[in-house]
Amino acid sequence: MSLLLPTNLQQYPSSSSFPSSTPLLSPPPSTAFVPRRKCLRLVTSCVSTVQSSVATNGSSPAPAPAAVVVERDQIRLGLPSKGRMAADAIDLLKDCQLFVKQVNPRQYVAQIPQLPNTEVWFQRPKDIVRKLLSGDLDLGIVGLDTLSEYGQENEDLIIVHEALNFGDCHLSIAIPNYGIFENINSLKELAQMPQWSEERPLRLATGFTYLGPKFMKENGIKHVVFSTADGALEAAPAMGIADAILDLVSSGTTLKENNLKEIEGGVVLESQAALVASRRALTERKGALNTVHEILERLEAHLKADGQFTVVANMRGNSAQEVAERVLSQPSLSGLQGPTISPVYCTQNGKVSVDYYAIVICVPKKALYESVKQLRAVGGSGVLVSPLTYIFDEDTPRWGQLLRNLGL
């Protein structure tokens, strides 16, 4: 297996450069393949004329140097500078009552008033990872795909929260759904195709020049070369630049529109946004660990409450015990912990009495209507529903895990 790296911007040879009695990719004659206009954007294949063996740890990009904790008072949090990830990261922090204040949208630095010792730096996702490693940033929000590609399993990078509930996608191999690939549906079948040899390897276009070779090596696929491509990767097979691609997939619609398909066993990793930190910063920079603790508590409280609803109803009963038994007889009314049942006091003939009890339960959105129906079926009335904003646990589970990972 070889890796072709961008050194001289030479055009990668098309499939016609390889001896073959029939073309490797030929659309079905009945349905001529006409790429959509957006797929005709220039795809520049940047490759080297010299092939190099894939190293044991994968391939380029080269590992970043060890982090150095630079003396400064402020904790630096890196956020994506543009795109959907940038907007979603700011919205998530806002939902956690952490408001990013940017005086000028052209500036790359901002503040979070609720964290007075913290600066926000807007950077490209890959630069967030690099600057975490160099010590220029202490924390960052990036996709797990970017972290894996540019972090390369560096021990100084530590994942604080791995599931921020946005930026969901997966890194996957995609091949044409026509020609010699029409009946190929798995990575094993792709690897066993007789077309691939040392002289004519499988050509894979990707921007993931570390994860791609690493994945192929781990799966024992030898006859493959990689090329980097700028532009729409989906066009590379149709243009003859590559046989297959390795790219991020969200809905899969773009692949289908370009006559490409995913294959079984071809998913390299599942990805979403994550909160990442520098191990050295957390252990050596004053205030960094406390800042992470606060951010993590806010994140976990908000994410745990996401999609949860509080349901409150009144119910007649002779005692709290009796009401509890009626409520718990319904399968979806047990809530998170409970239900919580409290007496509702009223005055009758000058005396304070209890005829009703208030029931409070927490239910997920998908079970909301069914829970309300069951609550009414056992005597509940005046049902109130409101979304939950935060659920603070006695202890934040990921905080304990982080301390153990840091050896604290």
Side-chain angles (χ1 to χ4, degrees):
M1 179 169 60
S2 299
L3 175 67
L4 302 181
L5 296 177
T7 57
N8 63 354
L9 303 181
Q10 177 179 344
Q11 178 68 34
Y12 191 92
S14 68
S15 58
S16 61
S17 301
F18 296 95
S20 176
S21 58
T22 58
L24 289 182
L25 299 179
S26 57
S30 60
T31 56
F33 174 57
V34 180
R36 294 180 60 178
R37 183 176 182 85
K38 69 177 182 178
C39 298
L40 296 179
R41 293 162 48 195
L42 178 62
V43 179
T44 305
S45 180
C46 310
V47 301
S48 170
T49 55
V50 181
Q51 297 186 0
S52 59
S53 299
V54 177
T56 304
N57 65 341
S59 177
S60 64
V68 177
V69 177
V70 182
E71 289 296 330
R72 50 181 158 78
D73 296 330
Q74 295 293 95
I75 310 301
R76 288 181 177 176
L77 168 65
L79 295 183
S81 56
K82 59 184 178 179
R84 182 65 180 271
M85 283 280 288
D88 287 347
I90 291 176
D91 287 344
L92 174 62
L93 293 174
K94 181 179 179 181
D95 289 338
C96 297
Q97 299 299 303
L98 296 173
F99 300 98
V100 178
K101 299 296 183 181
Q102 193 175 12
V103 177
N104 187 326
R106 294 181 178 273
Q107 291 181 335
Y108 287 94
V109 64
Q111 306 294 326
I112 299 179
Q114 295 76 22
L115 300 173
N117 66 330
T118 302
E119 292 177 340
V120 172
W121 287 81
F122 295 101
Q123 300 285 302
R124 295 184 302 176
K126 62 183 179 182
D127 289 335
I128 291 176
V129 178
R130 289 168 174 164
K131 289 177 181 179
L132 284 170
L133 289 171
S134 67
D136 295 310
L137 292 175
D138 306 309
L139 311 170
I141 293 180
V142 293
L144 292 172
D145 57 294
T146 304
L147 176 66
S148 301
E149 172 69 15
Y150 295 96
Q152 301 184 20
E153 303 177 71
N154 191 297
E155 293 184 355
D156 188 59
L157 295 174
I158 187 165
I159 299 176
V160 180
H161 198 301
E162 77 289 350
L164 298 183
N165 287 1
F166 69 89
D168 297 75
C169 61
H170 58 275
L171 181 61
S172 181
I173 294 173
I175 61 175
N177 58 15
Y178 54 85
I180 62 171
F181 299 103
E182 184 174 1
N183 297 316
I184 302 299
N185 297 300
S186 70
L187 182 65
K188 182 178 180 181
E189 292 173 350
L190 178 64
Q192 292 176 347
M193 291 178 66
Q195 285 83 358
W196 319 134
S197 64
E198 188 172 347
E199 293 75 22
R200 173 55 173 101
L202 170 70
R203 298 169 302 152
L204 196 66
T206 185
F208 292 84
T209 55
Y210 170 75
L211 291 175
K214 180 175 180 289
F215 178 77
M216 289 300 195
K217 184 178 179 65
E218 290 172 349
N219 284 274
I221 301 175
K222 298 179 180 178
H223 302 310
V224 57
V225 292
F226 293 83
S227 64
T228 59
D230 299 324
L233 279 182
E234 293 84 2
M239 295 179 71
I241 294 173
D243 302 308
I245 67 172
L246 174 64
D247 202 8
L248 294 175
V249 180
S250 295
S251 65
T253 301
T254 304
L255 292 182
K256 292 177 183 178
E257 290 179 346
N258 288 279
N259 286 350
L260 297 174
K261 64 182 179 182
E262 295 184 79
I263 54 177
E264 180 183 350
V267 176
V268 176
L269 63 79
E270 299 287 344
S271 180
Q272 65 173 297
L275 176 63
V276 189
S278 160
R279 183 185 298 269
R280 288 196 177 190
L282 294 184
T283 54
E284 299 179 22
R285 188 177 304 288
K286 182 180 179 181
L289 200 56
N290 290 335
T291 298
V292 169
H293 189 198
E294 179 172 348
I295 294 175
L296 185 57
E297 282 210 311
R298 289 173 180 260
L299 285 173
E300 291 221 322
H302 167 68
L303 293 173
K304 186 170 183 178
D306 190 31
Q308 298 287 336
F309 288 80
T310 300
V311 180
V312 181
N314 290 334
M315 186 179 296
R316 283 185 179 273
N318 295 321
S319 67
Q321 180 72 25
E322 177 205 335
V323 172
E325 290 174 356
R326 284 157 56 191
V327 172
L328 292 175
S329 67
Q330 303 299 312
S332 69
L333 297 182
S334 57
L336 297 177
Q337 288 181 340
T340 300
I341 299 177
S342 306
V344 178
Y345 295 97
C346 61
T347 303
Q348 290 183 348
N349 301 322
K351 294 183 179 181
V352 177
S353 63
V354 176
D355 289 332
Y356 286 89
Y357 289 85
I359 299 98
V360 181
I361 59 174
C362 297
V363 296
K365 185 176 183 178
K366 62 181 180 181
L368 179 59
Y369 182 65
E370 188 63 29
S371 297
V372 171
K373 283 175 57 180
Q374 292 183 7
L375 196 56
R376 292 159 66 190
V378 294
S381 63
V383 181
L384 304 177
V385 177
S386 58
L388 280 170
T389 306
Y390 306 102
I391 299 177
F392 286 95
D393 286 323
E394 182 179 354
D395 188 22
T396 305
R398 286 182 176 84
W399 173 246
Q401 182 62 49
L402 176 62
L403 293 180
R404 287 190 291 273
N405 290 341
L406 293 173
L408 301 176

